[in-house]
Structures are given as structure tokens and as C-alpha cells.
Amino acid sequence: MNHLNARFFGPLAIVDPCCGAGYGPDALVSGGLGGTEATILRVCMALAERADIVHYQKGRTTPDRTAAGRLLPLDAAFTPAAAPPTYVVINAWKVACKLRKVHPDARILLWLHIFPGRHNRAMGKALVQAGVDVVCVSASHAKVFRAFVPDAPTLTVRHIHNPIADDLTPDATSVDPDRLLFASSPHKGLAQVFRQFTALRDAFPDLHLAVADPGYLVWDTGPVPEGVTFLGALPHAALIAQMRRALCLFYPQTTFAETFGLVMAEANAVGLPVLAHHDIGANAEVLDDPRQLIDGTDTDQIIARIGTWRAARPAVTVNPDFRLRAVVRQWDDLLSDAQASDAAIERVA
């Protein structure tokens, strides 16, 4: 499927030094894939319709050729190239700077899906010196990152949202008003979600919480409350089916800041409202309907909102800028060296 009028023809190299193992498009169907890897694959599958794309992946030992491009071991990225492609490095700024030494004439971008920790404060100046630009995954992510590197005023920082499918829409699936869904890795505040669910179930004893864990990280969440069911790592289609059945995506946690929050955008795309903390990460950017935003520490407010939704669930929609077609068009603009819009480019102040 063509997502835009073709302009970018590559070559493009994706360098992922952070993945635990090699991955390819098959994982989009089978499940257990993190949002970062899923985003990379979806964008590259669209661009690969007319561009030569290669992925260098940590943990990959054998090459493969897929709809998202050629998949190669990470070390191969550091081989001098006769015609250097554009390199897009996932999260690891030191790797981006190291690539600059090997590929002095290449264009290098750092595609950030995380908030760097305090020990990375030197990254701003290092990226400027290496001639590496930064792509964040939301406006709020870019704003936080700009504040993180105040000593690098000339560093170019853009944001391009993570994509959801163009055809992801509501259907006629019956909603269970007693079914809540948590669909993230447990380190994303599941212990706090369990505590709020326990209090919520005291008010509504028939409620149950389904937990879809992608399974890429083991995390201690404390005792499991009564009424919780673990679904395990679901294929993407099965996860979407769970979203269609639930009353809401239950995410009242205040400990983990999402740089984008792909699962929240996908939930809204199928008509599933999200109950999330109003003042953390990209929640307010992705969930632009204020009815979905609460104080995640206020149990009474959570109980009241769920009570209201059990009687009449709000109709929600998703921002069309999150659709794959729109996101790939922005990548096409960037990779084609087109002038990006003022809304998508942020200069570190």
C-alpha cells in the first residue's frame, strides 16, 4: 500500500543497539514486541516500498531479508560504506557518535524513544560535535529533552509521533462494563494500578482487570489482587480484540512517563477510552479529551469516573496525525531533506 507520493529512495540504515534480540515483521503478528520495535518496523515497511533499507540489530546472528528491509548483525554497521546511507540510531547516542567516526560523510539521526538518564547529560554537546540530529516521538518528549540539554543550543530536535494503523477503527464488538484492561509492560506502573484496582473493586465488586504483558521484562509488582487475569503476550490482533471488549484502558499510574504511549493511541482508535494520570509524560498530548485524564493518586476520583463510564462510556477518537500515513509522510519529508514544518522542528533554547 502506498502511504504517500514516493520521494525518498534511501539507502536508509536503522541501527538498533538496544534490542535484546533480532526482530522482524513476523513479530508484529506473533506478539511480544515492544512499542519501539513495532514502530520501527511499521515505518520501515512503508518506506521499503521504494527505498533500500537495512537494519543492524543487537543480538542478531544471521542475516535475513524481509518486507521491512535487510536484517543484519549490529557489528556490520561499523563497516565503511562506499555510498554511506542515512543512519538512524535507536536511543544510543554514544553509538551515533561512534558511527560518525566510521562514516564521516553520512547523515546520522538519533531516534529517541526514551528519556535519557542523568548520567547522559553530556550527550547534547557530543551530538552537536558529531553532527547528529535528534528525532523524538512527541512534542512533550521533545520539550523535556530540550530542557535536558540546555548547553547544546544548536542541536536540532524534531518530533515525529509513533504510528497507528490507518484502518484501526471501532467496530460492533459488545463492551463488558465490568472489564478493565492494562496493556503494557509491568514496569509501567502496574504495582500502583493494582492498588487502585483493589480500592475500585471494593466499590464495584464485579469488576475484573485483564493484564496483557508483552513479556519482555520481568518486574516485581507485589501481590496480585483478586479479580486480575493475566493474558500474557498477545499477538497484536488479539490485543486489539481485547481492547474492543473492555470498558476502558486502566492506566492510573504516576511513576512511569510515556514518551508517546502507543497503546493509548491504539485504544482511542478503536473507541476505547483510557483512564490515565493527567500530568505525566505524553498522556495529555495523546489523550486530548479531558474526560480521560484524572489524578492517578486520587482514588475517589478514579471510582467516580469508572462509575460514570459504567453507566455511559464516553465516545473517543484518535488524533489523525498519529495515523501511519501521516507519520510516514513526515519521515519522508525528513529523509528527503524537505523543509520540515515549524510545528515539527524544535530548537534547543
Side-chain angles (χ1 to χ4, degrees), residues 194-260:
F194 277 167
R195 292 193 295 272
Q196 294 291 18
F197 174 70
T198 298
L200 184 61
R201 203 164 188 265
D202 287 340
F204 305 108
D206 292 335
L207 284 181
H208 46 278
L209 174 67
V211 176
D213 174 3
Y216 58 77
L217 184 63
V218 176
W219 200 262
D220 182 11
T221 58
V224 178
E226 186 177 352
V228 171
T229 301
F230 289 94
L231 304 176
L234 297 176
H236 188 255
L239 176 59
I240 297 301
Q242 290 289 335
M243 289 181 176
R244 296 187 188 281
R245 294 176 54 200
L247 174 70
C248 73
L249 190 70
F250 191 63
Y251 201 44
Q253 60 84 28
T254 61
T255 62
F256 185 89
E258 296 280 6
T259 54
F260 177 70

Side-chain angles (χ1 to χ4, degrees), residues 266-278:
E266 289 186 326
N268 276 188
V270 300
L272 179 69
V274 180
L275 193 68
H277 185 59
H278 61 88

Side-chain angles (χ1 to χ4, degrees), residues 81-159:
T86 294
Y87 290 88
V88 177
V89 181
I90 309 303
N91 290 334
W93 66 272
K94 291 182 180 179
V95 171
C97 294
K98 183 179 178 181
L99 277 171
R100 170 59 68 211
K101 296 178 181 179
V102 180
H103 306 291
D105 299 320
R107 186 181 186 193
I108 302 177
L109 305 172
L110 178 65
W111 191 1
L112 274 183
H113 295 255
I114 60 173
F115 293 110
R118 287 192 294 261
H119 60 288
N120 292 308
R121 290 198 179 277
M123 68 185 292
K125 285 185 176 180
L127 291 172
V128 170
Q129 292 171 358
V132 176
D133 293 348
V134 176
V135 181
C136 294
V137 296
S138 66
S140 58
H141 184 205
K143 181 179 180 180
V144 171
F145 179 70
R146 291 198 312 273
F148 181 76
V149 288
D151 58 348
T154 60
L155 181 64
T156 298
V157 182
R158 297 173 173 86
H159 75 271

